[in-house]
Amino acid sequence: MKVAIAGAGAVGRSIARELLRGGHRVMLLERQLDHIDPAAIPDAVWVHADACELSLLENADLETYEVVIAATGDDKTNLVHSLLAKTEFGVRRVVARVNDPRNEWLFDESWGVDVAVSTPRLLASLVEEAVSVGDLVRLMTLRQGQANLVEITLPADTRLAGKPVRTLVMPRDTALVTILRGGRVIVPQPDDPFEGEDELLFVTSVEAEEDLRLTLATHGIRP
């Protein structure tokens, strides 16, 4: 894919390196001249441009990119860049960094954002995930807030141990997508058995999340 990243600070550069390792083509847009360092990531295209300046984005051919990532350290800039990318250039997928969790409610489709990533919230979720056996933890919001990626770690003495995946009847608009077991990533099949300390990853609609909690509670897992 062709991916444009607004913001060539530490976050933007890290994302660029990962994408380049994955074989994607990357453009870095940066407003501050002292942040432009092509030698640091020679395989990326570096452009000196304000991410909120329409004419400069036109010169950078932003409409030819499939994904835009607004990764600056300023939420206002990320919102404006996302809106321009979606409405003026028709970019198919827009991912935006949320610096201040208090602004997270703004990062939705009305501002052109497909996926909002809040680093503080994600880190907090990962901490909760690490310490909260038996609790349903929201890891990420998907599709402009229409769905969530949630996780639960089964207790060692779970009632589900040895029972097949089909035992867990999912609420509507909910799917068990992965079981993490030790170092393994398991794509669950109906006859696969659960084990204690399995980490279960679900994608669920916002409306169905509470139903999922209740379903897990019926199997002795506290909601």
Side-chain angles (χ1 to χ4, degrees):
M1 294 185 297
K2 292 181 68 177
V3 182
I5 302 172
V11 173
R13 293 187 187 196
S14 296
I15 297 169
R17 291 188 184 100
E18 289 298 320
L19 290 171
L20 288 165
R21 276 195 283 267
H24 303 291
R25 289 175 286 173
V26 174
M27 174 176 65
L28 281 162
L29 297 161
E30 176 55 50
R31 180 176 62 86
Q32 300 183 56
L33 272 174
D34 59 350
H35 284 185
I36 295 179
D37 184 10
I41 310 177
D43 293 330
V45 175
W46 290 74
V47 176
H48 179 219
D50 187 324
C52 300
E53 182 59 52
L54 184 60
S55 62
L56 297 178
L57 298 178
E58 290 174 344
N59 292 338
D61 297 324
L62 196 66
E63 71 278 2
T64 67
Y65 285 79
E66 298 157 275
V67 179
V68 158
I69 302 174
T72 79
D74 183 80
D75 284 345
K76 294 188 294 295
T77 298
N78 290 342
L79 284 170
V80 172
H81 184 66
S82 297
L83 185 63
L84 290 174
K86 183 67 73 173
T87 60
E88 299 294 330
F89 297 95
V91 175
R92 180 170 58 85
R93 191 156 184 82
V94 177
V95 180
R97 172 189 176 188
V98 184
N99 296 278
D100 186 340
R102 292 173 297 180
N103 297 330
E104 191 172 6
W105 65 277
L106 289 166
F107 286 73
D108 59 17
E109 60 184 349
S110 65
W111 280 96
V113 177
D114 295 306
V115 178
V117 180
S118 172
T119 302
R121 182 177 295 279
L122 181 58
L123 289 174
S125 295
L126 291 173
V127 169
E128 290 177 354
E129 183 270 335
V131 301
S132 302
V133 173
D135 287 335
L136 193 67
V137 177
R138 183 180 301 172
L139 298 180
M140 188 174 293
T141 299
L142 309 170
R143 296 298 302 168
Q144 302 101 28
Q146 297 174 25
N148 294 319
L149 177 67
V150 298
E151 184 270 355
I152 190 166
T153 299
L154 297 180
D157 59 352
T158 179
R159 294 181 196 170
L160 285 173
K163 295 182 180 179
V165 166
R166 64 173 180 274
T167 302
L168 195 60
V169 180
M170 295 294 103
R172 184 177 179 181
D173 299 328
T174 300
L176 173 62
V177 292
T178 302
I179 298 174
L180 303 179
R181 180 178 297 157
R184 298 176 59 201
V185 177
I186 301 169
V187 178
Q189 303 300 315
D191 293 327
D192 289 341
F194 291 111
E195 293 184 9
E197 300 182 351
D198 278 352
E199 295 180 51
L200 311 183
L201 293 178
F202 301 87
V203 173
T204 179
S205 69
V206 174
E207 294 77 12
E209 189 171 322
E210 185 58 30
D211 291 337
L212 177 59
R213 293 178 189 274
L214 295 174
T215 296
L216 293 170
T218 64
H219 292 277
I221 305 168
R222 56 191 174 93

